[in-house]
Amino acid sequence: MPFLEFSNVDYSYPSGDDGYIQALKSVSLAVERGEFVALVGCNGSGKSTLARLANGLILPDYGVVSVDGKSTAEKSNLYEIRKKIGVVFQNPDNQMVTTIVEDDVAFGPENLGLPPAEIRERVDWALDCVGMRDYATSGPTRLSGGQKQRVAIAGVLAIKPELMILDEATGMLDPDGRKEVLDVVTRLNRKENMAVVMITHFMEEAAQADRIIILDRGGVTADGGRELFQTPEVFTRAGLDLPVYVRVAQRLKSAGADIGCPLSVQDFVAQAARAVKGGGERRD
Amino acid sequence: MRDMTIGQYYPSNSVVHRADPRFKLLILILFIVTVFFCESFFSFGFMTFFVIVTILLARVPILKVLKGLKMIIIIVLITTLLMTVFYTDPNSKPLAEWGIFHIYLNGIYAAIKLAWRLLLLVLMPTVLTLTSTPTELCDGLESLLSPLKKIKFPVHELALIMSIALRLIPTLIEETDKIMNAQKARGAAFESRNPFKKIKAMLPVLIPLFVSSFRRADDLADAMDSRCYRGAKGRTRMKKLHCRVSDVVALLFWCAVTVCVLFLNYNWFGWGFIAVLGL
Amino acid sequence: MIDVRNLSYVYNPKTPFTSQALFDVNLKIEDGDFFGIIGGTGAGKSTLISHFNALTRVQKKSGTVLVDDMDLSVKKLDLKKLRAKVGMVFQYPEHQLFDDTVEKDVMFGPKNLKLPAEEQKARAKEAIELVGLDYAEFAQRSPFELSGGQKRRVALAGVLAMRPEILVLDEPTAGLDPVGKRDIMNLVMRVKQSCPTVVMISHNMDEIAEYCNKIAVLNRGRVEGVFSPRELFGSKALLEKCGVELPLVTEIAVELCRAGVNVNEAILTENELVDELLKVMPRAVENA
């Protein structure tokens, strides 16, 4: 049984005079414990709707969303589900409940009714995980966007969920902030074995994940490992860019110089260097 | 708007900072009541002395903070001026008069007392917010009001609403600033004299502000739900408020100050009486 | 032309919460420039550009800003004239939308300029079409029902309807998906034909390298210098000194050189990188 499972999920929301907009159409997908998944799609593809369905903030019109075998449609399951799935949202300013960093991180464990000593321990641990311990007693107004999002991640971590969903959590950040958040998330997945679903339209971020799911106009159009980058059409059809290094490699290939499918700057450099140096020998 | 310094926290580790917020709130209430009891200049001086001691103990740059409160000080000065010129005392002759304006000696006294009282009423709450974080204040309030839970008064919800409001005020001020600037950049003018026109001119700011506030409220509700919030039921707190001996001593001390002020108001010689008691 | 001379700015002067945002800034933006301003969080970029149309007034004895022949440090300033001349588009400009139809919202600027009613309408139509929206389809719709990208275009139209001569953009593509980003930048290039001077703050070095002809680097309130893209991204010493990240393609070229592949380090676009690599790479199949 998969940890998080969507089966044939439909969701639509009312809009203006036109009646309803169908955000998701019979979406089925599953995420296992420990996975690192990137969920990509352009604006309006339904990816944020997916995040809100996962922990029962909204309920499917049709189909079932279940976490660890429990359906979100059952109200009594929601508390247990939210303990297992944490969500970090897009706007760093709209997630903090209090004016002090450590009090905010404590909000989750306080809701779980833990004893004060354990809350303290979890808060310190979570702040350490995201590298924000030094800011434990500061207010949010003095933090950068990236720092605020790291606090939001710590707030979710302190609940000790098994899966963390980042709903375009880097969308409003500058490049430094994006890198900070991506580093923290990658580390959590590798070291703490936390499952991560990263919703994004930055393809360089998506290339860090082990698995990529492409969402286009409410439906899953591709779901696979990094080898997906070898078929650029699936991305462009969904209105997405490929990472620069993949694009350049594609163009080199069509010009007759194949260097494979690099998934990071380092990959690209290594593969291109090998092609340049090795190519001479092959010619002889 | 960025120049507002009222209600800000000034981080430090003074005795006043470390004191239990519940006691600080109680002392503040006691202080405010006492200020309203002050009648004689002597009692004002007496109170001011202890306020200064508190400020020194708190180690906060109060003068610089007061500079940031220019608006309030201007209001105090205008009130004082109006009080002086419109005071009427049928029992004595005015010192000076121009048309409808009269200046009486008692009027000057009353005006000075009013200004002094207002100043004290601004100072002490400022010291409180400079030395306590909003979370501490909310927790303190929640704890002080907790007896009301017995009559089903939503104490926890009230404290949470306060805490979120305090958290969002700076964000909303910033947002207002941004929207005003965006509209000014499109040539909007907000400085009309006619109040109806003024409200109309503010609509391009108020509407986007409402739209974004609703969005923020939705986002925040989602974030709280996602973090397992279920109301006060089953909730614990990381930080427990601890009252120390020094807190009790401070409260008793301020009670004594109140008693002294009551004496000073009605009996100039009471001062001697207290001094004897003290010895 | 915008000429910034010895400009300094202090927030909350003379209080415990005081902080200086700009230190003695000097730079000159000529007519026809696509002028980029870059720098990390707290570098003072937003404070600087908000001086350009006097939303932030020049403080006493803190230098001056000249916009063409207007000195912005004088007390009596023709704000209406200045704000019509310098069009300012803030971050997430869609947050400024307020009226019940797209047309009325776009007309807000011309209305504030007290233009005749027909002129207001004509300008709104022109601006809505300039940002690539169909006038007949969108004019009477509520701006709040549009998609994110469309809202941003409407907000941009609201500024363009004032027919500015200088367009100042604060991160115009923030928060948009790749297609939305490209659309907005294409739109800016189209606008530049009628409003030749563009100033842009951006964190996206790929955009900066591709579009700007001059780039000012700000660091903690100070100008580190004004460079051409090739000067800036071609000099490692300069980049390190200014704390600037490389555009991804340039980073790849630099890494390639380090790995012993003989390519030009100072490339700025994808095309250049492909060309450089094809020069040194053996090809399996001859290009037809």
Side-chain angles (χ1 to χ4, degrees):
Chain A
M1 183 177 49
F3 181 65
L4 167 65
E5 187 174 25
F6 280 63
S7 37
N8 294 314
V9 172
D10 282 359
Y11 184 80
S12 49
Y13 56 88
S15 161
D17 318 321
D18 315 73
Y20 287 84
I21 290 183
Q22 181 119 32
L24 291 179
K25 274 179 292 226
S26 60
V27 167
S28 293
L29 56 88
V31 179
E32 299 292 346
R33 286 189 172 82
E35 271 197 292
F36 189 165
V37 181
L39 186 70
V40 296
C42 60
N43 291 347
S45 62
K47 50 194 200 308
S48 290
T49 306
L50 220 132
R52 287 149 50 81
L53 281 163
N55 75 343
L57 288 174
I58 50 177
L59 296 176
D61 298 336
Y62 182 81
V64 179
V65 177
S66 64
V67 176
D68 220 2
K70 288 188 175 124
S71 163
T72 56
E74 198 66 54
K75 232 181 166 177
S76 57
N77 288 342
L78 284 181
Y79 180 66
E80 288 302 317
I81 286 173
R82 288 172 186 163
K83 274 207 265 185
K84 289 176 182 156
I85 293 193
V87 186
V88 180
F89 295 92
Q90 183 178 24
N91 192 328
D93 280 317
N94 298 358
Q95 296 177 63
M96 266 183 101
V97 189
T98 69
T99 42
I100 303 289
V101 166
E102 63 176 10
D103 293 351
D104 185 71
V105 177
F107 182 74
E110 285 178 345
N111 290 332
L112 301 182
L114 300 171
E118 192 182 342
I119 299 178
R120 180 85 253 172
E121 210 173 284
R122 283 191 179 200
V123 168
D124 291 346
W125 168 77
L127 284 173
D128 274 336
C129 276
V130 299
M132 288 294 289
R133 186 77 174 270
D134 293 344
Y135 296 86
T137 55
S138 346
T141 41
R142 283 155 208 229
L143 305 182
S144 72
Q147 289 173 326
K148 281 183 207 167
Q149 283 303 58
R150 276 148 72 196
V151 171
I153 292 175
V156 167
L157 270 183
I159 301 170
K160 299 209 170 166
E162 294 176 63
L163 169 70
M164 188 186 290
I165 300 179
L166 293 110
D167 183 7
E168 294 198 54
T170 59
M172 297 178 77
L173 306 181
D174 60 20
D176 288 341
R178 277 215 302 276
K179 201 170 165 310
E180 285 169 29
V181 169
L182 191 64
D183 285 351
V184 163
V185 170
T186 316
R187 190 153 19 92
L188 283 172
N189 176 255
R190 308 274 188 261
K191 292 245 170 74
E192 309 281 339
N193 202 30
M194 163 113 49
V196 173
V197 174
M198 183 132 146
I199 299 176
T200 183
H201 52 234
F202 291 103
M203 300 312 292
E204 283 80 11
E205 286 174 7
Q208 303 283 309
D210 302 321
R211 181 176 151 205
I212 293 122
I213 299 176
I214 302 178
L215 211 60
D216 186 16
R217 275 156 283 182
V220 175
T221 55
D223 181 349
R226 294 170 172 211
E227 68 277 359
L228 269 187
F229 283 113
Q230 284 166 1
T231 47
E233 315 85 61
V234 294
F235 291 93
T236 44
R237 224 184 295 131
L240 294 164
D241 267 339
L242 288 165
V244 172
Y245 29 85
V246 178
R247 266 195 329 253
V248 173
Q250 298 290 344
R251 291 177 59 182
L252 290 173
K253 190 176 173 184
S254 61
D258 193 354
I259 64 160
C261 183
L263 290 173
S264 67
V265 172
Q266 290 75 24
D267 273 6
F268 183 94
V269 172
Q271 289 171 22
R274 209 177 309 135
V276 170
K277 286 168 191 159
E281 289 159 28
R282 232 185 298 139
R283 229 177 224 188
D284 289 335
Chain B
M1 290 245 197
R2 276 174 212 252
D3 293 326
M4 287 220 323
T5 48
I6 194 164
Q8 286 223 40
Y9 175 64
Y10 184 85
S12 166
N13 195 26
S14 74
V15 268
V16 185
H17 282 80
R18 275 176 285 145
D20 186 327
R22 285 173 296 187
F23 283 80
K24 284 197 259 189
L25 280 165
L26 285 176
I27 289 172
L28 182 71
I29 294 165
L30 190 67
F31 174 84
I32 289 170
V33 172
T34 317
V35 167
F36 280 108
F37 274 119
C38 283
E39 285 294 336
S40 66
F41 282 117
F42 200 67
S43 55
F44 275 112
F46 188 68
M47 288 293 275
T48 310
F49 172 74
F50 288 110
V51 170
I52 290 170
V53 170
T54 313
I55 289 170
L56 290 177
L57 283 174
R59 282 188 258 145
V60 288
I62 196 81
L63 284 177
K64 282 188 177 176
V65 170
L66 283 180
K67 270 189 197 158
L69 301 179
K70 263 184 224 144
M71 270 313 287
I72 290 175
I73 292 176
I74 289 169
I75 292 169
V76 169
L77 286 177
I78 291 173
T79 322
T80 318
L81 191 74
L82 291 177
M83 180 91 176
T84 318
V85 294
F86 286 115
Y87 189 90
T88 48
D89 183 356
N91 299 325
S92 65
K93 263 175 57 182
L95 300 174
E97 52 187 317
W98 304 275
I100 55 163
F101 304 124
H102 306 269
I103 292 182
Y104 295 91
L105 188 61
N106 281 339
I108 295 176
Y109 286 157
I112 292 176
K113 281 179 193 166
L114 178 74
W116 204 334
R117 187 167 290 163
L118 288 176
L119 211 63
L120 288 177
L121 288 177
V122 170
L123 265 177
M124 241 355 209
T126 307
V127 173
L128 180 75
T129 55
L130 282 169
T131 59
S132 335
T133 66
T135 321
E136 283 172 348
L137 291 178
C138 291
D139 287 355
L141 198 72
E142 186 174 350
S143 168
L144 285 178
L145 294 179
S146 58
L148 292 178
K149 279 182 190 160
K150 291 215 174 71
I151 57 160
K152 297 270 162 68
F153 187 79
V155 175
H156 163 77
E157 284 72 13
L158 194 76
L160 186 75
I161 289 169
M162 244 182 72
S163 154
I164 291 174
L166 286 168
R167 154 76 189 84
L168 287 181
I169 284 169
T171 315
L172 283 182
I173 290 174
E174 205 179 304
E175 180 102 9
T176 314
D177 239 12
K178 274 187 196 159
I179 299 172
M180 271 180 100
N181 275 342
Q183 307 301 29
K184 275 191 205 160
R186 293 205 279 166
F190 299 114
E191 42 278 326
S192 174
R193 291 236 178 97
N194 181 328
F196 291 104
K197 275 192 184 161
K198 199 161 187 169
I199 291 172
K200 208 173 157 228
M202 284 306 283
L203 280 181
V205 175
L206 292 177
I207 293 170
L209 195 63
F210 275 128
V211 171
S212 82
S213 300
F214 281 119
R215 197 183 46 232
R216 262 181 221 289
D218 273 347
D219 282 3
L220 198 64
D222 277 353
M224 286 169 65
D225 278 342
S226 299
R227 286 160 75 185
C228 304
Y229 181 67
R230 296 184 296 175
K233 196 186 73 187
R235 219 174 117 76
T236 50
R237 306 307 304 266
M238 175 170 75
K239 290 175 185 165
K240 283 226 166 116
L241 298 174
H242 293 289
C243 100
R244 279 171 294 244
V245 182
S246 55
D247 294 317
V248 182
V249 171
L251 183 62
L252 289 176
F253 178 79
W254 278 95
C255 287
V257 171
T258 305
V259 173
C260 292
V261 166
L262 290 177
F263 265 105
L264 289 168
N265 274 339
Y266 301 112
N267 184 355
W268 280 84
F269 303 101
W271 178 235
F273 174 66
I274 290 156
V276 171
L277 264 187
L279 291 172
Chain C
M1 181 227 27
I2 298 177
D3 192 355
V4 181
R5 292 183 189 167
N6 307 96
L7 184 69
S8 295
Y9 191 81
V10 182
Y11 282 110
N12 298 320
K14 294 176 195 161
T15 71
F17 308 100
T18 182
S19 69
Q20 184 153 3
L22 295 175
F23 297 84
D24 196 30
V25 168
N26 284 290
L27 47 89
K28 196 164 181 181
I29 301 165
E30 306 278 0
D31 293 339
D33 275 346
F34 198 128
F35 195 94
I37 299 177
I38 62 174
T41 312
K45 308 182 291 290
S46 300
T47 311
L48 174 64
I49 63 161
S50 69
H51 277 90
F52 294 171
N53 68 350
L55 284 172
T56 300
R57 297 301 299 263
V58 179
Q59 287 173 331
K60 265 185 215 155
K61 293 181 194 156
S62 305
T64 186
V65 178
L66 302 173
V67 175
D68 290 342
D69 53 348
M70 294 174 89
D71 183 347
L72 306 194
S73 65
V74 299
K75 216 166 184 188
K76 282 225 159 180
L77 204 57
D78 187 350
L79 285 177
K80 211 196 264 176
K81 184 178 157 203
L82 177 68
R83 286 175 186 166
K85 187 196 280 267
V86 182
M88 182 84 74
V89 181
F90 289 96
Q91 254 182 68
Y92 301 100
E94 55 274 23
H95 293 172
Q96 74 186 33
L97 300 175
F98 71 97
D99 225 325
D100 49 359
T101 70
V102 167
E103 184 179 43
K104 277 201 230 163
D105 204 296
V106 175
M107 270 164 59
F108 183 65
K111 211 161 115 194
N112 287 326
L113 295 180
K114 307 251 156 59
L115 297 169
E118 316 83 72
E119 171 82 9
Q120 294 177 18
K121 244 192 152 95
R123 283 200 179 190
K125 183 163 189 274
E126 175 195 281
I128 291 170
E129 281 167 354
L130 185 58
V131 297
L133 296 174
D134 183 49
Y135 177 78
E137 191 192 337
F138 285 94
Q140 300 311 320
R141 284 178 67 180
S142 158
F144 296 105
E145 297 174 355
L146 305 178
S147 77
Q150 289 167 340
K151 275 187 198 166
R152 187 160 300 184
R153 283 153 182 265
V154 173
L156 213 71
V159 174
L160 294 174
M162 316 224 343
R163 291 209 188 130
E165 293 161 35
I166 301 170
L167 187 63
V168 184
L169 305 157
D170 189 349
E171 290 206 61
T173 62
L176 296 178
D177 60 22
V179 175
K181 281 195 167 101
R182 221 164 16 235
D183 285 353
I184 291 287
M185 286 319 293
N186 287 340
L187 167 61
V188 170
M189 290 315 283
R190 207 157 59 233
V191 170
K192 199 170 179 301
Q193 290 165 3
S194 52
C195 166
T197 314
V198 177
V199 182
M200 176 171 84
I201 291 182
S202 179
H203 284 124
N204 188 327
M205 289 309 132
D206 302 317
E207 272 170 16
I208 290 279
E210 190 172 342
Y211 295 100
C212 298
N213 66 321
K214 281 184 205 161
I215 301 156
V217 184
L218 250 67
N219 189 9
R220 289 169 202 215
R222 291 189 167 80
V223 174
E224 296 279 0
V226 179
F227 312 100
S228 76
R230 263 173 229 285
E231 269 177 314
L232 179 66
F233 297 120
S235 154
K236 249 185 277 175
L238 204 56
L239 288 165
E240 256 161 48
K241 185 180 150 239
C242 302
V244 177
E245 260 186 64
L246 283 173
L248 216 52
V249 281
T250 317
E251 190 186 329
I252 291 174
V254 170
E255 290 294 323
L256 280 170
C257 285
R258 195 174 293 165
V261 180
N262 187 21
V263 291
N264 182 3
E265 279 190 347
I267 57 140
L268 294 175
T269 65
E270 216 176 294
N271 288 341
E272 288 172 0
L273 179 62
V274 174
D275 291 345
E276 280 290 318
L277 274 168
L278 285 179
K279 268 191 239 163
V280 293
M281 262 190 193
R283 303 193 200 180
V285 200
E286 278 311 309
N287 219 358

